[in-house]
Amino acid sequence: MVKRGRPYGENLEANLDDLHRRLRECRYQAPCIKRVWLPKDGRGQRPIGITTFEDKVVQRAVVMLLEAVYEQDFYDVSYGFRPGLSAHVALGEIRNQIMDHWIGWIVEADIRGCFDNLGHGVLRELLHRRVHDGGIDRLIGKWLNAGIQDGGELLHPEKGAPQGGVISPMLANIYLHHVLDEWFVEVVQPRLKGRAFLVRYCDDFIIGCELEEDARRVLEVLPRRLEKYGLAIHPEKTRLVPFQAPKAGAPRGEHNDTFDFLGFTHYWGKSRRGYWVVKRRTMRKRLRRAMKAIAQWCRCNRHMPLQEQHRTVCQKLRGHFQYYGLRGNYRSMELLYEHTRRVWHKWLSRRSRESYIPWDKFQKLLDVLPLPTPKIIHAV
């Protein structure tokens, strides 16, 4: 057994041999999950589960086995936590579907607390349809029943898969594959009069319909379908959005309603050649959150050595640009870049009463320690 307080990698081969032996002999015990709470878009908090390194290794191995089984079953409408797919692939598919198939109505849906409400009994029953290995079944049962350490209290919920666990996205994908994807592709789509599509990224999804009548029918039956499996639609975050392409000759600007998905606001705008196309920009609340986080960091760490500040600020900007560097979103990234320059100058100038830095001197500093500039990375 691994001794407490010692790094797992200090004696890695022996630890992994011991882990392998316990798994073969069915002696592996899943540790309880430590729950931490993170802010959620300025409204409430999101529970995240943290487990041990060893448990992550075992969970990752089971995920690889489940992928070999389920990747041949999963539909193309699912993009989250799957090999070769990503949020940017999903965003490109949405744009193509809307523009190629004259999609005019978007069902913008939100499942309330999806990870916290996955029914254990339902999940095990769905797994048994494809997985008949007793070892994997026992491990998943141990993780579902391991308990959650929330402060000084040990909880044993009868439903849910802790968000943050390595196995949780796979379990959610399996659950929603049967509850949503399979139902939409095999039951809903054949009954609609016009064309429609579903794009799901783990527990986030939108449904696009060519006809308003079809969109309203889907919106009506969707809550009942999810309720059957213990899930619920968030009434305040679920809506029907008209999203028709503007008519030829319409002036520039945003037309019809917009909808948000995967951190981007989708809207109709004119291309450089004068055609109406679907464009994406960073959601306002995501941009404000990024600006606030950088300003707060610069304020709290203004007395750190200049080189260390520069390295961390660059990492934050690069991380943002790596995700939001989507074609047509340059202006939103530029706003964050300009904001970062201003707040870094502001808090460097407040290191002491005598340390105010004139702007021209700060510009010379940026020549020596340049900040990464916005860059389009994803042409989807």
Side-chain angles (χ1 to χ4, degrees):
M1 296 290 289
V2 181
K3 294 183 178 180
R4 293 183 177 273
R6 296 181 62 182
Y8 198 86
E10 189 173 297
N11 195 12
L12 183 61
E13 290 190 11
N15 288 335
L16 292 178
D17 287 341
D18 177 66
L19 172 61
H20 183 230
R21 189 179 307 109
R22 282 180 283 137
L23 288 169
R24 282 189 307 168
E25 297 172 358
C26 300
R27 294 188 295 108
Y28 180 77
Q29 297 296 322
C32 64
I33 298 162
K34 180 182 178 181
R35 173 177 283 175
V36 297
W37 296 87
L38 300 180
K40 182 181 178 181
D41 296 333
R43 296 178 298 175
Q45 293 180 312
R46 181 196 303 274
I48 299 294
I50 300 177
T51 187
T52 63
F53 176 81
E54 184 176 75
D55 203 45
K56 290 178 181 178
V57 172
V58 182
Q59 289 189 22
R60 183 58 201 161
V62 173
V63 167
M64 294 170 67
L65 292 173
L66 292 176
E67 282 179 352
V69 175
Y70 279 99
E71 276 302 312
Q72 57 190 324
D73 293 352
F74 286 159
Y75 291 98
D76 293 338
V77 302
S78 172
Y79 293 85
F81 302 96
R82 294 184 58 192
L85 299 177
S86 67
H88 300 102
V89 177
L91 290 165
E93 178 65 14
I94 291 171
R95 186 176 188 269
N96 294 337
Q97 288 281 356
I98 292 175
M99 295 180 60
D100 294 345
H101 297 149
W102 299 93
I103 300 298
W105 297 86
I106 300 294
V107 177
E108 187 180 0
D110 183 88
I111 301 177
R112 176 181 283 170
C114 179
F115 282 88
D116 298 329
N117 291 290
L118 300 180
H120 290 179
V122 176
L123 177 59
R124 300 289 289 277
E125 189 274 326
L126 295 175
L127 279 165
H128 291 163
R129 296 182 186 181
R130 291 290 281 119
V131 179
H132 306 288
D133 185 284
I136 293 178
D137 186 52
R138 282 192 296 273
L139 282 172
I140 292 176
K142 289 179 179 181
W143 288 320
L144 293 177
N145 298 298
I148 299 174
Q149 189 75 39
D150 192 350
E153 188 177 5
L154 182 61
L155 308 174
H156 289 88
E158 297 181 357
K159 58 182 181 179
Q163 193 167 351
V166 177
I167 194 71
S168 297
M170 172 56 76
L171 297 180
N173 269 341
I174 294 172
Y175 202 93
L176 293 175
H177 163 72
H178 293 284
V179 174
L180 184 62
D181 305 352
E182 191 175 60
W183 169 73
F184 181 82
V185 173
E186 298 184 7
V187 178
V188 174
Q189 260 185 327
R191 289 172 168 78
L192 299 180
K193 296 181 180 179
R195 287 169 289 194
F197 74 89
L198 164 70
V199 168
R200 180 176 66 81
Y201 190 89
C202 207
D203 61 329
D204 294 327
F205 70 95
I206 64 166
I207 298 173
C209 296
E210 181 183 4
L211 304 176
E212 180 181 4
E213 176 187 354
D214 289 340
R216 294 194 179 278
R217 288 174 61 195
V218 171
L219 189 58
E220 181 182 355
V221 300
L222 183 60
R224 296 201 294 268
R225 173 65 181 181
L226 295 179
E227 185 180 358
K228 181 180 177 181
Y229 292 89
L231 301 176
I233 287 290
H234 198 300
E236 297 177 0
K237 297 181 180 179
T238 302
R239 62 190 184 118
L240 181 61
V241 181
F243 203 71
Q244 293 90 353
K247 296 180 180 180
R252 285 182 178 271
E254 297 181 18
H255 291 259
N256 295 320
D257 286 345
T258 63
F259 68 92
D260 297 329
F261 189 64
L262 296 179
F264 291 89
T265 296
H266 299 67
Y267 64 95
W268 284 100
K270 279 193 174 181
S271 67
R272 292 182 178 180
R273 296 183 178 181
Y275 300 111
W276 286 107
V277 295
V278 175
K279 293 188 173 184
R280 288 74 52 94
R281 55 175 166 77
T282 308
M283 288 170 54
R284 287 191 175 92
K285 66 179 181 180
R286 296 287 181 92
L287 184 58
R288 286 196 299 267
R289 185 171 67 186
M291 289 179 171
K292 183 178 179 182
I294 288 179
Q296 183 71 11
W297 190 92
C298 290
R299 176 180 178 272
C300 295
N301 298 276
R302 61 185 182 272
H303 293 297
M304 285 177 58
L306 196 59
Q307 295 283 354
E308 293 184 25
Q309 287 192 51
H310 174 257
R311 181 166 55 252
T312 302
V313 171
C314 287
Q315 289 173 350
K316 291 179 180 296
L317 283 177
R318 288 194 194 99
H320 185 92
F321 297 157
Q322 281 286 336
Y323 183 78
Y324 290 100
L326 204 65
R327 179 175 57 181
N329 192 40
Y330 188 88
R331 177 55 183 159
S332 294
M333 294 189 294
E334 191 176 43
L335 290 173
L336 180 65
Y337 171 76
E338 295 295 340
H339 169 80
T340 302
R341 291 207 311 167
R342 290 195 302 271
V343 297
W344 197 29
H345 171 254
K346 171 184 174 181
W347 291 111
L348 283 179
S349 297
R350 296 191 182 186
R351 287 158 69 101
S352 68
R353 293 182 179 179
E354 297 82 17
S355 65
Y356 176 77
I357 303 175
W359 184 254
D360 57 344
K361 185 177 180 180
F362 179 69
Q363 291 282 42
K364 293 179 180 179
L365 172 65
L366 291 181
D367 292 337
V368 179
L369 299 174
L371 296 176
T373 55
K375 183 178 180 182
I376 301 301
I377 299 173
H378 309 284
V380 295

